[in-house]
Amino acid sequence: MPERALHTLVEGGSFFEGPRWHDGRWWASDFYRQLIVVATPDGKEEHVETAFQPSGLGWLPDGRLLVVSMKDHRIMRRDDGAFSIHADVTEHCGGHLNDMVVDERGRAYVGNFGFDLMAGGAPTSATLVRVDPDGTATVVADELLFPNGAVITPDGRTLVVGETFGGRYTAFTIADDGSLSDRRVWGQISRASTDDPGAGGVGVAPDGCTLDAEGHIWAADALGNRCVRIAAGGDIVDEIAMPDGLGVFACMLGGDDGRTLLMCAAPDFLEHNRMNAREAVLLTTTVDVPHAGLP
């Protein structure tokens, strides 16, 4: 596998997640600084302040920003610079609300932890919730083992979601009304586990991810200190190791030609370690196959 040069785009974060390429700039949530970092390709930063712990990002068709508010299980909407509640999905959550993909019609598909990860709770399954543009929330899949990063194929007909504790990607067919059907395993990367996540229960723990034009998924391996490129079926066909002392927890393809891979890196994912530290970085490298689909 080729060695690639890594470049630091942004440093000094607490814990970056939910990276996106939008309108010629990089966007990423920073959990514990409660802000969204917006950076140009040359690293010039702007910050969008929030009053909550942000995670997944997406945009409605009219350009308004949607942001996951993790701890109170809400999707927030930014109108004219101010945030308001787009949807409250508390009744469907067994843990923090997490990553999100928004389709071209403005329907948001969002997962949750299923349990209290940071307090060392016992892992259990979780739901995937669809939030329609009017804020209506509907459970569209259940019994998922920590649903995390998700992608939608360019034709808008397939959603693929990573199950961090399942060691796999699971695919669904998207109907015209946004419902999901035909559940199937897109790729089994490693064995499923409901062990303590810190104990290395799975060989590859898929976290934030992005789809490329050959139908492969680049995924952050939350326990393996690397980004991996996964083919349908689960084979790992490429990987990018992180520098010593860093793990990687999300990635996104973007840039003007779609071939820049942005990676959210930090020493670990534990809240008590990251809350007051400023060691998280956004790293970039160049890959051969450009971005496809959503986000």
Side-chain angles (χ1 to χ4, degrees), residues 203-226:
V204 176
D207 203 328
C209 64
T210 183
L211 184 70
D212 72 25
E214 291 183 350
H216 292 63
I217 289 175
W218 277 103
D221 178 1
L223 298 179
N225 299 57
R226 59 180 180 162

Side-chain angles (χ1 to χ4, degrees), residues 15-293:
F15 187 83
F16 292 121
E17 258 282 13
R20 303 289 184 259
W21 173 258
H22 180 73
D23 282 349
R25 296 187 294 173
W26 293 107
W27 299 61
S29 292
D30 190 344
F31 280 12
Y32 307 119
R33 289 194 292 168
Q34 295 192 342
L35 55 82
I36 299 159
V37 172
V38 186
T40 60
D42 60 0
K44 294 179 181 177
E45 294 180 50
E46 295 179 11
H47 293 168
V48 177
E49 304 285 345
T50 77
F52 50 87
Q53 183 172 309
S55 183
L57 303 173
W59 286 264
L60 293 168
D62 62 10
R64 289 179 295 171
L65 175 66
L66 297 181
V67 185
V68 166
S69 176
M70 299 183 73
K71 291 188 173 182
D72 57 10
H73 311 134
R74 293 171 172 172
I75 295 177
M76 306 299 289
R77 185 183 66 245
R78 190 173 186 234
D79 299 281
D80 298 322
F83 284 102
S84 60
I85 299 171
H86 184 66
D88 188 325
V89 298
T90 301
E91 65 179 304
H92 305 307
C93 290
H96 289 1
L97 205 61
N98 193 25
D99 211 348
M100 171 176 71
V101 60
V102 181
D103 73 9
E104 292 182 346
R105 300 187 190 184
R107 299 178 300 208
Y109 295 85
V110 58
N112 72 94
F113 290 3
F115 66 100
D116 192 342
L117 172 68
M118 297 304 174
T124 187
S125 61
T127 60
L128 188 69
V129 176
R130 186 191 75 239
V131 174
D132 292 330
D134 65 359
T136 301
T138 305
V139 173
V140 287
D142 58 13
E143 298 299 317
L144 294 164
L145 296 177
F146 207 105
N148 212 323
V151 298
I152 295 174
T153 53
D155 62 5
R157 304 304 297 176
T158 302
L159 181 145
V160 185
V161 60
E163 294 185 68
T164 301
F165 286 1
R168 64 176 169 256
Y169 279 90
T170 298
F172 300 87
T173 298
I174 306 173
D176 287 341
D177 64 359
S179 60
L180 303 182
S181 64
D182 190 24
R183 180 173 180 161
R184 65 245 186 221
V185 174
W186 182 89
Q188 188 73 46
I189 315 164
S190 56
R191 67 183 180 87
S193 173
T194 54
D195 295 342
D196 178 341
V202 293
V204 176
D207 203 328
C209 64
T210 183
L211 184 70
D212 72 25
E214 291 183 350
H216 292 63
I217 289 175
W218 277 103
D221 178 1
L223 298 179
N225 299 57
R226 59 180 180 162
C227 264
V228 292
R229 186 173 183 242
I230 306 162
D235 288 342
I236 294 173
V237 298
D238 199 353
E239 67 176 76
I240 300 170
M242 291 298 98
D244 288 345
L246 289 178
V248 59
F249 304 99
C251 62
M252 181 57 48
L253 285 166
D256 290 339
D257 63 0
R259 297 193 305 116
T260 299
L261 184 68
L262 181 81
M263 294 162 285
C264 298
D268 58 55
F269 64 86
L270 299 171
E271 182 173 12
H272 63 272
N273 290 338
R274 298 298 108 221
M275 177 69 74
N276 297 312
R278 297 295 177 261
E279 300 169 316
V281 292
L282 296 178
L283 303 174
T284 64
T285 193
T286 301
V287 296
D288 295 330
V289 182
H291 171 267

